[in-house]
């Protein structure tokens, strides 16, 4: 309460009707101004009492935190999380209430039609000054302030900047493709020249075309080289095409569990043991679920190939093929460790595994691990590999955790600070 209101409260019994009316009008005007300020803010604000019942919201909060309009009119009958339609935000606020958390913040992806927006939700204590009968003022937590900020443009700008940086790597890729195209073009040129010479020679003589088999041999070679060129161009387009990622916040552990359940029968059919050691935390990272699954599939296929290769060459009668998928957290980073005890790779293969067109498989395109690398980089993460020839391979993927329980400014009041009015 400001000094003006305190003075009015003390003198109110002595005020005339006219003075009281003026003061009330001023208070109404001040209240309307404060409401206008709240409604003008781009930050969403929702105020709840000590029992987490909704007291007040502004338009930004109703826009950023989807509320159920059917029960909003009876908001005092519900806890604030029961009014929120987004399951993740509702669960987060319920957890804050249950564990008495404040000065915390977390980021969420909220569905809006066919796309997502990213919203940072924070919970702060509502600290008020309470005057006692002996004119002493003390601070007390009377509720909670929930804020919501739209960080969609910030996230999109970060993704766009990351994509621009990744374009620099196209120079080396283009050089590789130019080298690949050079040989088929040379072969096509030579065989067309041979055909032209044969036709010219025949026209200068008896005018008869060369034998049919002679023509077919050259044309067959040309067609094969054209097919080779087409494959090179198609693979190049796959390698350079920007990853179309529909980024949203998701739990990687949940996606890995789903993948493991789906892929386990294939491992079992090849007598490979698949084991998972996951944190099973609710931590979420920014990724595209479909592309993340593609990463897991590529890693699984590489592991299967390595294990089957070792089985063929292994002298160990009791060799047990296995794949282990683990997760861990470190320094606001999520780590996925994908390991196998297959044939492993030598140093050259390990250093070149993410290069376009590099493959040790007879029928491989050399683009699978390139796509894995591109996808992880699109997620603003990193991927590394360690391998021992004859022992196995370990891939480690690191992804950033956006604002998971980031502590805000510490509240030192503790609700017990007394000060003289």
């Amino acid at each position: 309460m400001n000094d003006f209101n305190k003075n009015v409260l003390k003198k109110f019994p002595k005020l005339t009707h006219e003075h009281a009316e003026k003061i009330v009008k001023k208070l109404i005007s001040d209240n309307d101004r404060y409401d206008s300020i709240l409604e003008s803010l781009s930050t969403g604000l929702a105020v709840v009492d000590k029992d987490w019942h909704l007291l007040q919201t502004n338009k930004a909060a109703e826009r950023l935190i989807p509320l159920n309009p059917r029960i909003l009119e009876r908001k005092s009958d519900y806890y604030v999380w029961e009014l929120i339609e987004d399951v993740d935000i509702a669960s987060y606020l319920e957890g804050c209430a249950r564990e008495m958390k404040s000065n915390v913040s977390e980021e969420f992806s909220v569905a809006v039609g066919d796309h997502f927006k990213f919203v940072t939700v924070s919970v702060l204590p509502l600290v008020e000054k309470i005057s006692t009968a002996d004119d002493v003022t003390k601070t007390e937590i009377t509720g909670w302030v929930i804020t919501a900020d739209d960080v969609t443009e910030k996230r999109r700008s970060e993704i766009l900047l990351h994509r621009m940086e990744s374009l620099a790597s196209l120079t080396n890729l283009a050089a590789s493709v130019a080298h690949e195209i050079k040989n088929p073009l040379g072969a096509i040129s030579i065989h067309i020249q041979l055909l032209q010479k044969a036709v010219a020679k025949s026209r200068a003589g008896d005018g008869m075309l060369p034998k049919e088999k002679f023509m077919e041999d050259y044309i067959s070679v040309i067609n094969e080289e054209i097919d080779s060129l087409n494959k090179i161009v198609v693979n190049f387009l796959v390698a350079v095409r920007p990853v179309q990622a529909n980024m949203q916040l998701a739990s990687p552990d949940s996606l890995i569990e789903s993948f493991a359940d789906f892929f386990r029968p294939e491992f079992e059919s090849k007598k490979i043991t698949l084991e998972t050691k996951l944190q099973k935390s609710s931590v979420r990272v920014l990724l595209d679920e479909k592309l993340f699954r593609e990463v897991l599939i590529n890693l699984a296929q590489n592991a299967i190939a390595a294990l089957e290769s070792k089985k063929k060459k292994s002298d160990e009668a009791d060799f047990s093929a296995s794949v282990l998928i683990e997760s861990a957290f470190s320094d606001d980073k999520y780590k996925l460790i994908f390991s196998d005890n297959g044939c492993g790779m030598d140093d050259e293969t390990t250093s070149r595994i993410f290069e376009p067109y590099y493959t040790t498989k007879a029928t491989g395109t050399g683009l699978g691990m390139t796509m894995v690398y591109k996808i992880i980089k699109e997620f603003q993460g990193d991927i590394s590999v360690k391998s021992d020839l004859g022992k196995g391979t370990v891939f480690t993927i690191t992804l950033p955790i956006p604002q998971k329980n980031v502590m805000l400014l510490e509240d030192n009041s503790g609700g017990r600070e007394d000060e003289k009015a």
Side-chain angles (χ1 to χ4, degrees), residues 158-190:
E158 290 173 353
I159 292 170
L160 180 60
L161 177 61
H162 188 75
R163 287 177 180 173
M164 294 297 292
E165 291 172 349
S166 67
L167 289 176
S169 64
L170 291 182
T171 303
N172 292 334
L173 181 57
S176 299
V177 172
H179 178 75
E180 293 287 334
I181 288 177
K182 184 178 179 181
N183 291 335
L185 282 177
I188 290 172
S189 176
I190 289 172

Side-chain angles (χ1 to χ4, degrees), residues 261-409:
D261 291 339
F262 177 80
F263 230 79
R264 187 170 274 108
E266 182 169 349
F267 279 94
E268 291 176 349
S269 69
K270 300 179 185 296
K271 297 183 180 180
I272 299 172
T273 302
L274 174 61
E275 184 183 0
T276 58
K277 292 183 179 179
L278 306 176
Q279 298 291 323
K280 294 185 179 180
S281 169
S282 60
V283 65
R284 292 166 299 138
V285 300
L286 203 59
L287 49 77
D288 181 304
E289 294 185 11
K290 183 179 177 181
L291 293 177
F292 186 71
R293 183 181 177 85
E294 185 176 332
V295 168
L296 295 175
I297 290 173
N298 269 288
L299 293 177
Q301 289 174 339
N302 272 14
I304 290 173
L307 290 165
E308 291 188 328
S309 176
K310 185 172 181 177
K311 280 183 180 180
K312 292 177 183 178
K313 300 176 183 178
S314 178
D315 296 329
E316 304 174 31
D318 59 345
F319 170 65
S320 178
S322 65
V323 170
L324 174 63
I325 307 176
E326 303 172 87
S327 68
F329 307 102
S330 176
D331 300 327
D332 294 328
K333 303 286 185 182
Y334 172 87
K335 289 187 177 181
L336 163 64
I337 302 98
F338 198 111
S339 58
D340 67 72
N341 63 340
C343 63
M345 298 178 286
D346 57 29
D347 291 342
E348 181 185 2
T349 302
T350 302
S351 64
R352 299 185 61 188
I353 190 169
F354 299 119
E355 290 183 14
Y357 304 113
Y358 182 80
T359 180
T360 57
K361 301 175 184 176
T363 58
T365 63
L367 291 174
M369 294 310 297
T370 300
M371 286 303 299
V372 167
Y373 183 84
K374 284 183 62 178
I375 290 169
I376 297 303
K377 287 299 181 180
E378 182 72 9
F379 296 167
Q380 300 184 38
D382 200 8
I383 181 170
S384 62
V385 57
K386 291 183 179 180
S387 189
D388 290 325
L389 194 61
K391 295 183 179 180
T393 301
V394 179
F395 287 95
T396 302
I397 295 172
T398 306
L399 299 173
I401 302 173
Q403 298 190 20
K404 173 62 179 176
N405 288 339
V406 176
M407 294 301 296
L408 304 179
L409 291 177

Side-chain angles (χ1 to χ4, degrees), residues 52 114 214 239 298 368 407:
W52 292 82
D114 58 350
F214 176 85
N298 269 288
M407 294 301 296

Side-chain angles (χ1 to χ4, degrees), residues 46-62:
V47 182
V48 298
D49 60 21
K50 271 190 172 182
D51 297 321
W52 292 82
H53 294 128
L54 187 62
L55 299 176
Q56 185 178 3
T57 62
N58 64 355
K59 293 295 182 182
E62 294 173 11

Side-chain angles (χ1 to χ4, degrees), residues 94-162:
E94 185 178 5
C96 289
R98 184 175 59 252
E99 300 172 25
M100 296 296 291
K101 288 183 179 179
S102 63
N103 294 301
V104 292
S105 179
E106 189 164 343
E107 189 170 305
F108 299 88
S109 54
V110 180
V112 182
D114 58 350
H115 63 281
F116 287 86
K117 62 183 176 184
F118 302 102
V119 178
T120 299
V121 178
S122 305
V123 178
L124 304 166
L126 178 61
V127 181
E128 292 188 25
K129 293 180 180 179
I130 308 296
S131 296
T132 61
D134 54 353
D135 203 26
V136 173
T137 301
K138 66 176 182 178
T139 58
E140 182 179 328
I141 296 178
T142 60
W144 314 94
V145 178
I146 302 166
T147 67
D149 290 286
D150 189 342
V151 293
T152 304
E153 288 305 317
K154 179 182 177 182
R155 289 284 170 261
R156 286 177 179 168
S157 296
E158 290 173 353
I159 292 170
L160 180 60
L161 177 61
H162 188 75

